[in-house]
Amino acid sequence: MKFCEKLNEYTVMISYTAKELSNLSGISPASLSRYKNGERVPVLGSKAFDNLCSAIAQAAENRGLSDITAWQIRESFIACEDFVSTDKELLRRNFNTLISALNIN
């Protein structure tokens, strides 16, 4: 399952509009729309990703679905086929090594 499909599944489950979820999560309507349409996927560990998981869990609790936790939501998103977790520290080190090897200032 793709990230957008899982997000849309949660949106239907919690019966929240995109605007309500945007307000609750603090994610801009444009970014949320891109997530829902499959144009973008949030970065693991980013504020947007964490806020989205928390907002869905809070909305689920508001709807009486207290068995859905932010951790379960996070794990289900990470399991999506198009969700890529990036080790930014490794990328930074590799980039610095490349810059040094090429002698770029």
Side-chain angles (χ1 to χ4, degrees):
M1 179 175 280
K2 292 186 175 188
F3 181 87
C4 63
E5 294 168 339
K6 188 52 119 173
L7 176 57
N8 289 323
E9 184 179 287
Y10 278 125
T11 304
V12 170
M13 185 184 308
I14 61 175
S15 300
Y16 265 48
T17 64
K19 184 173 182 169
E20 290 171 323
L21 190 55
S22 174
N23 289 336
L24 189 60
S25 66
I27 296 171
S28 73
S31 290
L32 186 59
S33 175
R34 288 184 190 104
Y35 297 155
K36 288 181 63 100
N37 292 327
E39 295 172 23
R40 292 178 68 196
V41 175
V43 175
L44 177 64
S46 68
K47 186 175 180 179
F49 180 70
D50 293 340
N51 287 352
L52 181 60
C53 294
S54 296
I56 292 170
Q58 183 179 350
E61 188 175 330
N62 293 345
R63 297 286 194 229
L65 304 169
S66 57
D67 58 329
I68 300 172
T69 66
W71 180 257
Q72 290 170 325
I73 295 164
R74 177 185 186 279
E75 292 301 307
S76 69
F77 281 146
I78 291 172
C80 291
E81 63 190 50
D82 59 343
F83 192 87
V84 178
S85 60
T86 305
D87 183 347
K88 291 184 179 181
E89 179 59 24
L90 178 61
L91 287 175
R92 184 189 66 75
R93 284 192 311 249
N94 288 345
F95 180 74
N96 287 338
T97 300
L98 180 62
I99 295 295
S100 296
L102 295 175
N103 198 24
I104 299 173
N105 289 327

XYZ file of all heavy atoms in Angstrom:
820
model
N 0.846 -1.172 0.000
C 0.000 0.000 0.000
C 0.894 1.238 0.000
O 1.935 1.263 0.636
C -0.889 -0.014 1.245
C -1.800 1.186 1.349
S -2.960 1.109 2.741
C -4.186 0.040 2.076
N 0.469 2.254 -0.712
C 1.208 3.506 -0.779
C 0.824 4.408 0.388
O -0.243 4.273 0.977
C 0.922 4.217 -2.097
C 1.482 3.508 -3.293
C 1.294 4.328 -4.528
C 1.983 3.629 -5.687
N 2.009 4.459 -6.872
N 1.706 5.372 0.675
C 1.481 6.302 1.776
C 0.164 7.050 1.601
O -0.620 7.174 2.544
C 2.649 7.299 1.882
C 2.498 8.268 3.012
C 2.949 7.939 4.283
C 1.894 9.498 2.819
C 2.796 8.822 5.337
C 1.740 10.388 3.863
C 2.195 10.052 5.128
N -0.094 7.544 0.403
C -1.320 8.317 0.166
C -2.565 7.465 0.393
O -3.574 7.955 0.932
C -1.320 8.940 -1.225
S -1.317 7.763 -2.593
N -2.498 6.209 0.029
C -3.636 5.309 0.230
C -3.888 5.094 1.724
O -5.037 5.104 2.175
C -3.390 3.970 -0.458
C -3.331 4.071 -1.964
C -2.801 2.808 -2.630
O -2.120 1.994 -1.976
O -3.068 2.658 -3.848
N -2.819 4.910 2.485
C -2.944 4.716 3.920
C -3.470 5.982 4.585
O -4.340 5.933 5.456
C -1.594 4.307 4.511
C -1.653 3.905 5.953
C -2.706 2.854 6.181
C -2.219 1.584 6.703
N -3.316 0.668 7.054
N -2.962 7.136 4.149
C -3.428 8.413 4.700
C -4.905 8.602 4.406
O -5.681 8.997 5.293
C -2.604 9.569 4.132
C -3.040 10.972 4.547
C -3.035 11.135 6.067
C -2.133 12.015 3.897
N -5.315 8.324 3.196
C -6.727 8.470 2.833
C -7.599 7.476 3.601
O -8.729 7.800 3.979
C -6.910 8.330 1.328
C -6.360 9.526 0.578
O -6.463 10.657 1.027
N -5.740 9.278 -0.561
N -7.071 6.292 3.854
C -7.793 5.294 4.648
C -8.026 5.827 6.073
O -9.127 5.715 6.607
C -6.968 4.007 4.686
C -7.620 2.857 5.383
C -6.725 1.625 5.344
O -6.601 1.027 4.256
O -6.144 1.273 6.395
N -6.992 6.403 6.657
C -7.137 6.982 8.001
C -8.107 8.166 7.989
O -8.909 8.325 8.913
C -5.791 7.447 8.556
C -4.969 6.350 9.167
C -3.667 6.106 8.742
C -5.469 5.552 10.196
C -2.900 5.105 9.303
C -4.708 4.544 10.765
C -3.427 4.330 10.322
O -2.662 3.338 10.881
N -8.048 8.975 6.956
C -8.933 10.137 6.866
C -10.392 9.706 6.841
O -11.240 10.300 7.504
C -8.600 10.981 5.612
O -7.218 11.345 5.643
C -9.432 12.234 5.552
N -10.697 8.663 6.090
C -12.058 8.120 6.046
C -12.437 7.528 7.401
O -13.538 7.750 7.914
C -12.199 7.067 4.920
C -13.513 6.324 5.028
C -12.065 7.730 3.558
N -11.504 6.794 7.998
C -11.755 6.138 9.273
C -12.109 7.144 10.371
O -13.014 6.912 11.171
C -10.523 5.329 9.690
C -10.714 4.501 10.935
S -9.185 3.656 11.447
C -8.682 2.835 9.953
N -11.396 8.271 10.403
C -11.620 9.259 11.459
C -12.692 10.276 11.087
O -13.083 11.090 11.916
C -10.314 9.988 11.848
C -9.731 10.752 10.658
C -9.318 9.014 12.448
C -8.515 11.590 10.980
N -13.160 10.228 9.852
C -14.198 11.145 9.358
C -13.818 12.609 9.551
O -14.621 13.414 10.019
C -15.540 10.862 10.046
O -15.967 9.560 9.795
N -12.597 12.938 9.202
C -12.125 14.323 9.260
C -11.917 14.815 7.829
O -11.444 14.065 6.972
C -10.794 14.411 10.002
C -10.918 14.748 11.467
C -11.814 14.075 12.295
C -10.128 15.730 12.044
C -11.914 14.365 13.635
C -10.223 16.023 13.388
C -11.117 15.342 14.183
O -11.218 15.638 15.519
N -12.216 16.076 7.620
C -11.921 16.685 6.322
C -10.439 17.031 6.284
O -9.762 17.062 7.324
C -12.732 17.969 6.108
O -12.328 18.947 7.080
C -14.234 17.715 6.217
N -9.953 17.297 5.093
C -8.552 17.685 4.940
C -8.278 18.968 5.717
O -7.225 19.107 6.345
C -8.213 17.863 3.465
N -9.230 19.884 5.710
C -9.055 21.153 6.431
C -8.963 20.906 7.935
O -8.122 21.494 8.613
C -10.204 22.103 6.110
C -10.043 23.461 6.732
C -11.095 24.435 6.283
C -10.821 25.787 6.924
N -11.625 26.839 6.354
N -9.819 20.037 8.453
C -9.786 19.730 9.891
C -8.459 19.072 10.269
O -7.849 19.424 11.283
C -10.941 18.806 10.270
C -12.307 19.445 10.220
C -13.441 18.450 10.386
O -13.341 17.312 9.870
O -14.437 18.824 11.033
N -8.004 18.132 9.450
C -6.748 17.445 9.725
C -5.567 18.406 9.586
O -4.623 18.347 10.364
C -6.590 16.247 8.795
C -5.447 15.295 9.112
C -5.520 14.775 10.545
C -5.449 14.135 8.126
N -5.646 19.295 8.638
C -4.611 20.301 8.457
C -4.517 21.197 9.696
O -3.421 21.456 10.206
C -4.908 21.142 7.216
O -3.997 22.198 7.101
N -5.655 21.651 10.177
C -5.669 22.505 11.371
C -5.147 21.766 12.598
O -4.396 22.326 13.394
C -7.085 23.018 11.653
C -7.545 24.041 10.642
O -6.738 24.704 10.001
N -8.839 24.166 10.475
N -5.538 20.518 12.748
C -5.147 19.729 13.912
C -3.659 19.391 13.891
O -3.002 19.394 14.932
C -5.985 18.448 13.969
C -5.870 17.588 15.215
C -6.293 18.370 16.458
C -6.747 16.353 15.070
N -3.121 19.137 12.713
C -1.722 18.720 12.591
C -0.746 19.884 12.438
O 0.452 19.709 12.669
C -1.550 17.784 11.391
O -1.802 18.480 10.184
N -1.244 21.026 12.016
C -0.353 22.152 11.769
C 0.336 22.066 10.412
O 1.222 22.858 10.104
N -0.065 21.110 9.605
C 0.489 20.956 8.256
C -0.335 21.837 7.320
O -1.562 21.865 7.413
C 0.420 19.488 7.808
C 1.293 18.621 8.711
C 0.842 19.331 6.350
C 1.132 17.140 8.478
N 0.326 22.523 6.421
C -0.396 23.402 5.508
C -1.358 22.581 4.647
O -1.074 21.416 4.335
C 0.572 24.174 4.615
O 1.139 23.321 3.643
N -2.478 23.189 4.263
C -3.416 22.476 3.388
C -2.757 21.999 2.090
O -3.062 20.917 1.599
C -4.506 23.505 3.118
C -4.466 24.421 4.297
C -3.006 24.489 4.679
N -1.835 22.797 1.548
C -1.163 22.420 0.298
C -0.300 21.170 0.501
O -0.326 20.246 -0.325
C -0.306 23.576 -0.207
N 0.457 21.125 1.591
C 1.298 19.953 1.860
C 0.446 18.722 2.110
O 0.735 17.640 1.583
C 2.201 20.202 3.071
O 3.189 21.142 2.764
N -0.614 18.877 2.890
C -1.494 17.742 3.163
C -2.123 17.232 1.870
O -2.228 16.029 1.651
C -2.572 18.120 4.175
C -3.455 16.983 4.657
C -2.642 15.881 5.312
C -4.516 17.490 5.610
N -2.500 18.147 0.996
C -3.066 17.765 -0.297
C -2.057 16.961 -1.110
O -2.405 15.957 -1.739
C -3.500 19.009 -1.069
O -3.942 18.663 -2.357
N -0.799 17.378 -1.087
C 0.246 16.647 -1.814
C 0.447 15.247 -1.237
O 0.674 14.295 -1.977
C 1.553 17.431 -1.785
C 1.519 18.656 -2.665
C 2.862 19.371 -2.688
N 2.722 20.649 -3.330
C 2.689 21.820 -2.703
N 2.810 21.868 -1.380
N 2.550 22.942 -3.370
N 0.355 15.128 0.081
C 0.465 13.811 0.719
C -0.711 12.932 0.306
O -0.541 11.771 -0.026
C 0.481 13.921 2.243
C 1.649 14.675 2.836
C 1.536 15.280 4.077
C 2.867 14.792 2.177
C 2.590 15.961 4.646
C 3.925 15.487 2.736
C 3.777 16.068 3.975
O 4.828 16.746 4.541
N -1.913 13.511 0.326
C -3.121 12.745 0.012
C -3.175 12.335 -1.460
O -3.747 11.308 -1.802
C -4.366 13.548 0.379
C -4.580 13.662 1.890
C -5.814 14.444 2.229
C -7.031 13.794 1.748
N -7.861 13.036 2.577
N -2.588 13.141 -2.336
C -2.601 12.853 -3.774
C -1.414 12.000 -4.218
O -1.310 11.651 -5.398
C -2.622 14.147 -4.580
C -3.916 14.892 -4.420
O -4.971 14.279 -4.252
N -3.865 16.214 -4.432
N -0.505 11.708 -3.307
C 0.645 10.885 -3.645
C 1.778 11.631 -4.307
O 2.709 11.022 -4.820
N 1.739 12.960 -4.277
C 2.804 13.754 -4.889
C 4.035 13.837 -3.994
O 5.148 14.002 -4.487
C 2.308 15.171 -5.183
C 1.208 15.230 -6.214
C 0.604 16.609 -6.330
O 1.255 17.610 -5.974
O -0.560 16.694 -6.788
N 3.822 13.745 -2.677
C 4.918 13.835 -1.714
C 4.663 12.861 -0.572
O 3.534 12.453 -0.330
C 5.029 15.244 -1.126
C 5.466 16.287 -2.114
C 5.514 17.662 -1.503
N 6.576 17.752 -0.510
C 6.656 18.728 0.382
N 5.750 19.675 0.419
N 7.638 18.764 1.246
N 5.734 12.556 0.127
C 5.674 11.741 1.336
C 6.509 12.485 2.383
O 7.619 12.918 2.081
C 6.257 10.331 1.078
C 6.303 9.523 2.351
C 5.456 9.609 0.012
N 5.996 12.641 3.597
C 6.793 13.351 4.606
C 8.042 12.559 4.985
O 8.108 11.338 4.812
C 5.837 13.481 5.794
C 4.826 12.414 5.607
C 4.717 12.183 4.135
N 9.010 13.263 5.503
C 10.276 12.652 5.906
C 10.131 12.052 7.305
O 9.571 12.682 8.202
C 11.403 13.713 5.892
C 12.704 13.146 6.408
C 11.575 14.279 4.494
N 10.629 10.841 7.468
C 10.611 10.175 8.767
C 11.319 11.045 9.797
O 12.415 11.530 9.555
C 11.296 8.814 8.677
C 11.409 8.026 9.973
C 10.025 7.654 10.490
C 12.235 6.779 9.772
N 10.678 11.253 10.926
C 11.267 12.046 11.995
C 11.067 13.540 11.847
O 11.449 14.300 12.731
N 10.468 13.954 10.749
C 10.223 15.390 10.563
C 9.052 15.817 11.440
O 8.226 15.004 11.872
C 9.923 15.712 9.098
O 8.674 15.154 8.724
N 8.982 17.103 11.689
C 7.883 17.647 12.489
C 6.544 17.363 11.812
O 5.572 17.005 12.470
C 8.084 19.152 12.682
C 7.103 19.788 13.604
C 7.427 21.259 13.840
C 6.414 21.865 14.786
N 6.698 23.270 15.049
N 6.512 17.491 10.491
C 5.273 17.247 9.749
C 4.814 15.798 9.920
O 3.631 15.542 10.158
C 5.472 17.570 8.269
N 5.737 14.856 9.814
C 5.386 13.440 9.946
C 4.876 13.143 11.356
O 3.837 12.515 11.536
C 6.586 12.557 9.610
C 6.296 11.089 9.732
C 5.465 10.454 8.822
C 6.846 10.342 10.755
C 5.188 9.095 8.927
C 6.578 8.985 10.865
C 5.746 8.361 9.955
N 5.612 13.608 12.352
C 5.214 13.365 13.741
C 3.874 14.021 14.059
O 3.021 13.418 14.718
C 6.292 13.861 14.702
C 7.587 13.055 14.594
O 7.540 11.917 14.089
O 8.636 13.574 15.014
N 3.674 15.245 13.580
C 2.408 15.950 13.821
C 1.240 15.260 13.132
O 0.137 15.200 13.682
C 2.497 17.404 13.361
C 3.340 18.260 14.282
O 3.748 17.830 15.354
N 3.611 19.476 13.868
N 1.480 14.737 11.944
C 0.419 14.043 11.216
C -0.010 12.785 11.977
O -1.208 12.547 12.163
C 0.884 13.680 9.807
C -0.128 12.961 8.916
C -1.374 13.813 8.703
C 0.516 12.608 7.580
N 0.947 12.016 12.433
C 0.633 10.793 13.189
C -0.123 11.132 14.473
O -1.132 10.486 14.801
C 1.910 10.028 13.523
S 2.768 9.372 12.081
N 0.326 12.150 15.178
C -0.331 12.563 16.424
C -1.730 13.092 16.167
O -2.661 12.805 16.926
C 0.498 13.638 17.130
O 1.739 13.129 17.515
N -1.888 13.865 15.112
C -3.195 14.439 14.782
C -4.203 13.348 14.423
O -5.361 13.396 14.853
C -3.066 15.441 13.642
N -3.783 12.365 13.657
C -4.687 11.260 13.297
C -5.085 10.488 14.555
O -6.255 10.141 14.735
C -4.043 10.339 12.246
C -3.895 11.080 10.914
C -4.869 9.066 12.051
C -3.061 10.356 9.880
N -4.110 10.242 15.439
C -4.413 9.533 16.687
C -5.379 10.346 17.549
O -6.323 9.784 18.130
C -3.129 9.249 17.452
N -5.169 11.644 17.626
C -6.056 12.500 18.409
C -7.455 12.533 17.806
O -8.456 12.445 18.511
C -5.496 13.919 18.495
C -6.328 14.843 19.357
C -5.739 16.238 19.443
O -4.616 16.487 19.009
N -6.491 17.161 19.998
N -7.528 12.627 16.493
C -8.826 12.625 15.814
C -9.549 11.299 16.033
O -10.764 11.277 16.255
C -8.626 12.882 14.317
N -8.802 10.196 15.987
C -9.393 8.877 16.232
C -9.958 8.806 17.644
O -11.067 8.310 17.859
C -8.355 7.783 16.015
N -9.200 9.327 18.596
C -9.676 9.338 19.982
C -10.925 10.197 20.121
O -11.872 9.826 20.819
C -8.578 9.851 20.909
C -8.931 9.719 22.374
C -7.786 10.107 23.290
O -6.610 9.944 22.899
O -8.075 10.578 24.397
N -10.945 11.339 19.425
C -12.123 12.219 19.444
C -13.358 11.520 18.886
O -14.476 11.829 19.271
C -11.860 13.497 18.642
C -10.814 14.387 19.275
O -10.453 14.219 20.434
N -10.304 15.329 18.505
N -13.143 10.563 17.986
C -14.242 9.818 17.366
C -14.547 8.519 18.113
O -15.341 7.706 17.658
C -13.916 9.494 15.905
C -13.750 10.704 15.017
C -15.080 11.360 14.711
N -14.942 12.301 13.622
C -15.405 13.535 13.663
N -16.053 13.974 14.728
N -15.247 14.340 12.637
N -13.878 8.326 19.249
C -14.131 7.131 20.041
C -13.348 5.914 19.597
O -13.653 4.803 20.000
N -12.342 6.117 18.767
C -11.495 5.015 18.290
C -10.180 5.033 19.069
O -9.106 5.241 18.515
C -11.229 5.170 16.786
C -12.461 5.273 15.886
C -12.064 5.687 14.479
C -13.198 3.951 15.869
N -10.278 4.812 20.358
C -9.120 4.957 21.235
C -8.077 3.851 21.064
O -6.985 3.940 21.619
C -9.561 5.019 22.700
O -10.304 3.866 23.031
N -8.389 2.814 20.304
C -7.429 1.730 20.106
C -6.391 2.051 19.026
O -5.478 1.264 18.795
C -8.152 0.425 19.779
C -9.023 0.532 18.535
O -9.549 1.630 18.264
O -9.189 -0.485 17.838
N -6.509 3.199 18.385
C -5.552 3.622 17.355
C -4.587 4.614 17.995
O -4.986 5.687 18.416
C -6.265 4.277 16.157
C -7.246 3.300 15.516
C -5.244 4.762 15.134
C -8.111 3.918 14.453
N -3.305 4.225 18.057
C -2.305 5.090 18.682
C -1.415 5.752 17.633
O -1.320 5.273 16.497
C -1.411 4.286 19.640
O -0.635 3.353 18.868
C -2.232 3.550 20.691
N -0.755 6.814 18.037
C 0.169 7.504 17.138
C 1.293 6.561 16.715
O 1.744 6.601 15.567
C 0.736 8.745 17.814
N 1.718 5.686 17.626
C 2.791 4.728 17.303
C 2.337 3.750 16.216
O 3.072 3.459 15.278
C 3.218 3.979 18.557
C 4.317 3.002 18.269
C 4.191 1.651 18.139
C 5.687 3.291 18.019
N 5.400 1.080 17.832
C 6.351 2.074 17.753
C 6.426 4.459 17.983
C 7.697 1.994 17.474
C 7.784 4.378 17.703
C 8.395 3.162 17.455
N 1.101 3.242 16.338
C 0.580 2.316 15.322
C 0.463 3.015 13.972
O 0.767 2.422 12.930
C -0.794 1.792 15.741
C -0.765 0.849 16.917
C -2.158 0.558 17.434
O -3.034 1.413 17.417
N -2.362 -0.664 17.911
N 0.020 4.244 13.990
C -0.106 5.018 12.752
C 1.263 5.215 12.124
O 1.451 5.000 10.923
C -0.796 6.367 13.033
C -2.238 6.123 13.482
C -0.732 7.285 11.820
C -2.891 7.299 14.146
N 2.232 5.588 12.940
C 3.603 5.797 12.476
C 4.131 4.522 11.815
O 4.678 4.560 10.717
C 4.477 6.184 13.667
C 5.926 6.369 13.359
C 6.708 6.644 14.666
N 8.076 6.959 14.408
C 9.035 6.056 14.179
N 8.754 4.773 14.178
N 10.266 6.437 13.943
N 3.970 3.403 12.489
C 4.472 2.134 11.965
C 3.762 1.734 10.665
O 4.391 1.192 9.758
C 4.332 1.029 13.012
C 5.249 1.210 14.214
C 6.716 1.248 13.841
O 7.186 0.321 13.152
O 7.399 2.227 14.223
N 2.468 1.995 10.573
C 1.747 1.651 9.342
C 2.196 2.531 8.176
O 2.269 2.070 7.041
C 0.233 1.741 9.546
O -0.181 3.072 9.724
N 2.526 3.798 8.463
C 3.046 4.673 7.408
C 4.444 4.214 6.969
O 4.752 4.172 5.778
C 3.106 6.123 7.869
C 1.792 6.847 7.833
C 1.496 7.810 8.794
C 0.856 6.620 6.848
C 0.289 8.505 8.768
C -0.350 7.298 6.805
C -0.627 8.251 7.776
N 5.286 3.865 7.929
C 6.648 3.439 7.605
C 6.637 2.166 6.759
O 7.497 1.968 5.901
C 7.469 3.235 8.904
C 7.728 4.599 9.561
C 8.783 2.520 8.631
C 8.352 4.508 10.934
N 5.637 1.322 6.967
C 5.535 0.075 6.205
C 5.058 0.280 4.769
O 5.094 -0.652 3.964
C 4.588 -0.886 6.925
N 4.647 1.473 4.417
C 4.158 1.743 3.058
C 5.299 1.575 2.047
O 6.444 1.922 2.326
C 3.577 3.151 2.964
S 2.044 3.339 3.878
N 4.952 1.066 0.880
C 5.955 0.742 -0.138
C 6.715 1.949 -0.670
O 7.853 1.825 -1.100
C 5.306 -0.008 -1.294
C 4.262 0.807 -2.043
C 3.449 -0.004 -3.020
O 2.932 -1.062 -2.636
O 3.337 0.440 -4.171
N 6.115 3.133 -0.618
C 6.787 4.312 -1.160
C 7.375 5.209 -0.079
O 7.857 6.300 -0.362
C 5.836 5.114 -2.049
C 4.586 5.592 -1.327
O 4.273 5.054 -0.237
O 3.915 6.490 -1.850
N 7.356 4.741 1.166
C 7.915 5.534 2.264
C 9.391 5.199 2.385
O 9.769 4.050 2.580
C 7.203 5.225 3.580
C 7.531 6.210 4.665
C 6.806 7.373 4.786
C 8.564 5.986 5.540
C 7.100 8.295 5.773
C 8.870 6.899 6.519
C 8.138 8.054 6.647
N 10.229 6.209 2.247
C 11.669 6.016 2.298
C 12.200 6.733 3.529
O 11.994 7.935 3.684
C 12.360 6.587 1.036
C 13.861 6.423 1.119
C 11.807 5.932 -0.207
N 12.854 5.983 4.392
C 13.489 6.623 5.542
C 14.927 6.943 5.155
O 15.641 6.104 4.621
C 13.437 5.725 6.773
O 14.106 4.524 6.540
N 15.330 8.147 5.413
C 16.640 8.621 5.002
C 17.505 8.886 6.228
O 17.066 9.543 7.159
C 16.509 9.929 4.197
O 15.627 9.701 3.110
C 17.830 10.400 3.669
N 18.715 8.378 6.198
C 19.669 8.662 7.251
C 20.423 9.927 6.840
O 21.387 9.877 6.075
C 20.621 7.476 7.428
C 21.599 7.673 8.575
O 21.716 8.806 9.089
O 22.245 6.687 8.957
N 19.972 11.060 7.343
C 20.551 12.340 6.929
C 22.000 12.496 7.378
O 22.791 13.130 6.690
C 19.695 13.488 7.441
C 18.364 13.557 6.746
C 17.564 14.741 7.192
C 16.245 14.775 6.437
N 15.430 15.910 6.814
N 22.346 11.926 8.507
C 23.725 12.010 8.975
C 24.660 11.271 8.018
O 25.734 11.768 7.680
C 23.854 11.447 10.389
C 25.263 11.482 10.951
C 25.886 12.871 11.022
O 25.143 13.873 11.083
O 27.129 12.956 10.992
N 24.250 10.099 7.552
C 25.054 9.352 6.593
C 25.183 10.136 5.286
O 26.266 10.206 4.701
C 24.447 7.977 6.333
C 25.167 7.096 5.314
C 26.601 6.803 5.760
C 24.403 5.813 5.094
N 24.110 10.736 4.835
C 24.171 11.549 3.613
C 25.139 12.723 3.781
O 25.903 13.034 2.875
C 22.777 12.073 3.258
C 21.794 11.060 2.708
C 20.427 11.712 2.525
C 22.280 10.489 1.396
N 25.097 13.358 4.950
C 25.981 14.494 5.208
C 27.447 14.048 5.162
O 28.287 14.695 4.520
C 25.671 15.123 6.568
C 26.497 16.379 6.864
C 26.332 16.839 8.299
N 26.870 15.899 9.262
C 28.162 15.719 9.504
N 29.076 16.392 8.837
N 28.566 14.855 10.403
N 27.751 12.930 5.815
C 29.133 12.434 5.824
C 29.593 12.067 4.411
O 30.721 12.392 4.009
C 29.258 11.229 6.755
C 29.258 11.599 8.225
C 29.675 10.432 9.088
N 28.957 9.216 8.751
C 28.054 8.626 9.519
N 27.762 9.119 10.684
N 27.457 7.514 9.121
N 28.730 11.397 3.660
C 29.093 11.027 2.292
C 29.304 12.257 1.415
O 30.219 12.294 0.587
C 28.028 10.124 1.679
C 28.031 8.737 2.271
O 28.983 8.341 2.939
N 26.968 8.004 2.043
N 28.472 13.255 1.596
C 28.617 14.490 0.827
C 29.945 15.165 1.169
O 30.675 15.605 0.277
C 27.438 15.424 1.105
C 27.508 16.717 0.341
C 27.238 16.741 -1.025
C 27.847 17.893 0.961
C 27.302 17.916 -1.741
C 27.901 19.080 0.254
C 27.636 19.096 -1.100
N 30.277 15.239 2.448
C 31.538 15.857 2.865
C 32.734 15.080 2.334
O 33.737 15.676 1.929
C 31.601 15.984 4.390
C 30.682 17.058 4.908
O 30.293 17.966 4.181
N 30.308 16.962 6.175
N 32.636 13.764 2.307
C 33.709 12.937 1.745
C 33.872 13.225 0.252
O 34.990 13.356 -0.248
C 33.403 11.438 1.964
O 33.293 11.192 3.366
C 34.490 10.562 1.376
N 32.760 13.337 -0.448
C 32.800 13.642 -1.876
C 33.430 15.007 -2.136
O 34.276 15.146 -3.021
C 31.386 13.594 -2.460
C 31.233 13.877 -3.942
C 31.996 12.835 -4.760
C 29.769 13.893 -4.331
N 33.038 15.995 -1.356
C 33.596 17.342 -1.505
C 35.093 17.315 -1.278
O 35.873 17.927 -2.022
C 32.908 18.332 -0.533
C 31.431 18.494 -0.879
C 33.614 19.673 -0.495
C 31.155 19.133 -2.211
N 35.520 16.591 -0.253
C 36.971 16.488 0.051
C 37.694 15.750 -1.067
O 38.787 16.170 -1.483
C 37.186 15.756 1.385
O 36.648 16.497 2.440
N 37.135 14.645 -1.547
C 37.787 13.848 -2.580
C 37.946 14.626 -3.879
O 38.935 14.467 -4.606
C 37.014 12.560 -2.824
N 36.969 15.466 -4.162
C 37.019 16.258 -5.396
C 37.758 17.580 -5.211
O 37.893 18.351 -6.147
C 35.597 16.512 -5.915
C 34.829 15.273 -6.358
C 33.398 15.653 -6.720
C 35.523 14.599 -7.529
N 38.174 17.820 -3.971
C 38.910 19.035 -3.623
C 38.126 20.311 -4.006
O 38.641 21.202 -4.656
C 40.298 19.040 -4.263
C 41.226 20.034 -3.594
O 41.031 20.386 -2.429
N 42.231 20.497 -4.309
N 36.848 20.313 -3.635
C 35.977 21.457 -3.904
C 35.897 22.311 -2.649
O 35.702 21.820 -1.551
C 34.564 20.989 -4.308
C 34.628 20.144 -5.572
C 33.636 22.188 -4.474
C 33.316 19.516 -5.930
N 36.074 23.612 -2.826
C 35.967 24.544 -1.703
C 34.655 25.264 -1.705
O 34.112 25.703 -2.595
C 37.103 25.550 -1.715
C 38.416 24.896 -1.353
O 38.433 23.972 -0.563
N 39.493 25.377 -1.935
